[in-house]
Amino acid sequence: MARGVAVLAVAVSASATVLSGPAAAATQFPSGSADGIRVDWSGEWANANRLQDITLQLCDATPEDKNRATAQLQGYVTRGGSARVETAPSVFQVPIGDKACAEWRDVFLTYFEQDDRLAYARVQFFGSQKPKEKHETKWVRNPRLRS
C-alpha cells in the first residue's frame, strides 16, 4: 500500500500580482495576507485525491527586510471516519532582497494512501522572523467529493 503526499513545482518566475495565462482558466481561490506577506493561488480539482494546475504567487511587501516569505500547501485529508491536516513537504519562498513577488506554476498536490480523500486544501504562509506565527488562506472544498 502506497502512502504519502506529493507536490511538484515545475516552473518559478517573478511576476506581477495579478494571475494570468493558465491561471486565468483555473479556479481562483481565496487569497490571504498578513505581516506584509500575500498569497494568491488558483487550481483545478482533478479527482478525490488531487488538486492540479496550481499557480501560487507569494509576495513580500518589503523584500529588502530580513523577513523571508514562506508558503506551504496543506490538505485536509479524510479516511473512513477520521481526518487529519497534512502539510506538504515542498516549501515556496521569496528570497530575501529579491523581487517582491515570486510565482510557481503547474504545481500539484496529491495524497495517495489507499482510501485517502483530499477534502480541502489551503496555503499556510509565514515570515522567517516569526516562523511560529503561521497564517492560512481559507480552506477550499474539493467539489469532486460527494457530501
Side-chain angles (χ1 to χ4, degrees):
M1 164 172 18
R3 178 172 195 259
V5 58
V7 174
L8 178 66
V10 175
V12 180
S13 65
S15 71
T17 305
V18 177
L19 296 176
S20 60
T27 302
Q28 182 69 46
F29 300 136
S31 60
S33 62
D35 296 333
I37 299 169
R38 180 170 177 80
V39 173
D40 287 298
W41 67 307
S42 64
E44 289 296 323
W45 290 98
N47 56 43
N49 296 52
R50 185 179 173 99
L51 177 60
Q52 63 187 23
D53 298 331
I54 299 171
T55 295
L56 187 146
Q57 186 175 68
L58 180 62
C59 297
D60 187 344
T62 53
E64 65 280 350
D65 68 9
K66 301 295 181 205
N67 193 25
R68 176 182 296 137
T70 301
Q72 289 182 282
L73 293 170
Q74 290 189 317
Y76 186 82
V77 182
T78 61
R79 183 176 186 197
S82 65
R84 66 191 186 279
V85 174
E86 294 274 347
T87 301
S90 294
V91 175
F92 306 96
Q93 293 183 320
V94 176
I96 294 173
D98 203 357
K99 294 182 179 181
C101 295
E103 184 176 278
W104 295 263
R105 291 181 179 265
D106 302 321
V107 178
F108 68 84
L109 174 64
T110 188
Y111 288 84
F112 51 87
E113 183 173 349
Q114 186 176 358
D115 300 325
D116 272 359
R117 298 294 177 254
L118 179 57
Y120 297 87
R122 72 179 177 190
V123 179
Q124 180 181 72
F125 59 99
F126 55 93
S128 60
Q129 291 181 329
K130 298 178 186 176
K132 292 186 180 188
E133 289 185 26
K134 297 186 185 294
H135 309 281
E136 294 88 16
T137 62
K138 291 182 180 180
W139 286 110
V140 175
R141 184 181 168 279
N142 184 345
R144 303 274 183 182
L145 295 178
R146 289 184 233 157
S147 298

